[in-house]
Amino acid sequence: MNIEFTSAELAFQQQIRQFLNEKLPVDIAEKRKAGLYLGKEDQVRWQKILYKQGWSAPNWPVEHGGTGWTPTEKYIWATECALAGGPEVISFGLKMVAPIIYGHGSEEQKQRFLPDILASNAWWCQGYSEANAGSDLASLKTTAAQEGDEYIVNGAKTWTTLGQHADWIFCLVRTGAPEVKNQEAISFLLIDMKTSGITVSPIITLDGKPEVNEVFFDNVRVPVTNRIGEEGKGWTYAKTLLTHERTNIARVGLSKQRFARAKQLAKETVDLDGYLIDNPAFSQKMAEVEIELLALEYTELRTLSAVSTGAAPGPESSILKIKGTEVSQMIDELLVEIAGNYALPFVKEQFEDGFAGEHIGPETAANSAPYYFNNRKASIYGGSNEIQKNIICKAVLGL
Ligand SMILES: Cc1cc2nc3c(=O)[nH]c(=O)nc-3n(C[C@H](O)[C@H](O)[C@H](O)COP(=O)(O)OP(=O)(O)OC[C@H]3O[C@@H](n4cnc5c(N)ncnc54)[C@H](O)[C@@H]3O)c2cc1C
């Protein structure tokens, strides 16, 4: 096992750094580094810069617009990008639905949808979870009944991230009769969000932001040609997606960038007897997080080393997901502690889609508690950490 970068990989790293230095907009990088929110406009602007460079979809096959990078090059890209303050691309189009379309869609679907996803002309959201179907997703209840060359969709999806911006939603729906086994009754539909009968309703999270939504379907007519692959095979397609995106699952680059910020802030923050960084109790906490982060980085590099010598990716992604979210949430705690009584903005105005705060200290400090609350999500979505532990028990420990 070799976890050192080769000379070619080091040259690639330089190329990436140069690109980020020249092309990453300073205002976006500053917001990202300060832990502030990025709007749709910022996100799309950055993704279009990547598109122009040919780098918007490193995980796609080259024939559809991918970069052809090795797993290690993808890791270098993700890490350098995060360290420079570059946002990760929004995953729903580029990382989630696109692999299903190029993997299982018809030629017509590939030509119709992939170019707009690659160029970030279309914003997608994910319609899997329902009120009583999260970890046990196969028990979902949204139905799609065929009538001629259309499906009539009825039901509701929940926790739909950024659905308020979406042009399209990819949904798992039940097409089979009630007696058909759940996993064999599910189909995969692409639904235009402008279709009559769709209502999007925001769910305001603890950070006061309308990031997630409920999406209601009331007799929504969807052409049968918008179904991916065969009827009743949606579950199989959805499962293949879970094995697709293995790079950057631990988000080491982002955690390194946020930890470096915490360290810098601790050096500048006045404590009772000097600066916070010199407080033995606080510096011990920082050291513990730094050790965890380093261990995470090396675990990811070891996994990459195995994959690049031809080993099939295994359940390591579950380990990386758990440790990655734990480290990220430990950094949230450090940042809240550093901000102290400036950590929460005062709620100033209440709107239907959230609330606006006023900060008495620095804006970055005022965002640390909202970020902390928001980032609790990381151990829930994408397969909760408890579910990942179940996978490790079965696949690694053989229990
Ligand atoms: C901020 C946020 C954004 C999201 N965005 C999206 C999105 O865009 N699209 C989408 O479709 N979904 C989205 N989700 C939904 C997410 O995938 C689900 O919340 C997740 O799968 C958990 O399902 P649940 O909320 O129904 O919790 P439940 O499945 O009811 O779980 C509740 C608790 O029980 C534990 N648990 C459940 N089953 C087991 C088990 N077998 N063994 C051990 N413990 C178990 C879970 O770990 C959890 O702690 C989002 C969720 C959040 C919080």
Side-chain angles (χ1 to χ4, degrees), residues 242 245-246 249-250 303 313-322 388:
L242 300 176
E245 193 38 53
R246 288 180 179 274
I249 196 161
T303 310
E316 296 85 356
S317 59
S318 295
I319 298 170
L320 290 169
K321 201 238 158 181
I322 295 172
Q388 302 304 326

Side-chain angles (χ1 to χ4, degrees), residues 92 126 128-129 134-135 159 161 212 377 380 384 386-387 390:
F92 304 112
Q126 179 193 28
Y128 282 13
S129 305
S135 302
W159 305 119
T161 302
V212 285
K377 69 187 176 189
I380 302 172
S384 74
E386 289 78 16
I387 296 293
N390 287 352

Side-chain angles (χ1 to χ4, degrees), residues 55-173:
W55 291 357
S56 60
N59 57 325
W60 290 24
V62 173
E63 69 267 27
H64 294 304
T67 54
W69 291 341
T70 64
T72 306
E73 286 169 340
K74 288 185 211 170
Y75 171 84
I76 292 172
W77 160 247
T79 307
E80 292 299 327
C81 189
L83 286 172
E88 293 157 356
V89 298
I90 299 285
S91 55
F92 304 112
L94 285 161
K95 293 184 177 176
M96 292 187 167
V97 75
I100 304 269
I101 296 174
Y102 60 65
H104 306 283
S106 63
E107 270 317 306
E108 193 269 329
Q109 287 168 336
K110 289 178 201 170
Q111 283 172 22
R112 182 174 169 204
F113 294 110
L114 293 178
D116 275 345
I117 297 176
L118 194 65
S120 291
N121 293 334
W123 187 286
W124 285 76
C125 64
Q126 179 193 28
Y128 282 13
S129 305
E130 299 182 5
N132 292 306
S135 302
D136 180 19
L137 186 57
S139 65
L140 60 92
K141 296 278 185 290
T142 296
T143 55
Q146 192 168 347
E147 227 181 72
D149 54 6
E150 289 178 325
Y151 285 111
I152 315 294
V153 178
N154 279 290
K157 296 291 175 180
T158 193
W159 305 119
T160 318
T161 302
L162 302 176
Q164 71 271 34
H165 301 312
D167 304 299
W168 285 85
I169 183 168
F170 56 97
C171 279
L172 289 178
V173 292

Side-chain angles (χ1 to χ4, degrees), residues 204-281:
I204 307 305
T205 42
L206 273 174
D207 57 350
K209 298 283 187 292
E211 189 181 88
V212 285
N213 302 271
E214 285 178 287
V215 180
F216 298 96
F217 298 85
D218 183 12
N219 289 320
V220 173
R221 293 183 167 269
V222 180
V224 170
T225 49
N226 283 16
R227 189 191 67 224
I228 294 284
E230 290 176 50
E231 189 171 277
K233 288 274 174 67
W235 186 252
T236 317
Y237 306 146
K239 269 198 314 191
T240 59
L241 176 61
L242 300 176
T243 57
H244 260 283
E245 193 38 53
R246 288 180 179 274
T247 50
N248 199 27
I249 196 161
R251 303 173 90 190
V252 168
L254 182 59
S255 283
K256 280 173 84 170
Q257 181 257 304
R258 294 178 66 234
F259 182 78
R261 179 158 65 88
K263 207 173 198 176
Q264 184 56 38
L265 289 170
K267 284 182 189 162
E268 295 164 7
T269 302
V270 177
D271 191 36
L272 288 180
D273 303 315
Y275 290 99
L276 197 52
I277 195 83
D278 302 317
N279 175 326

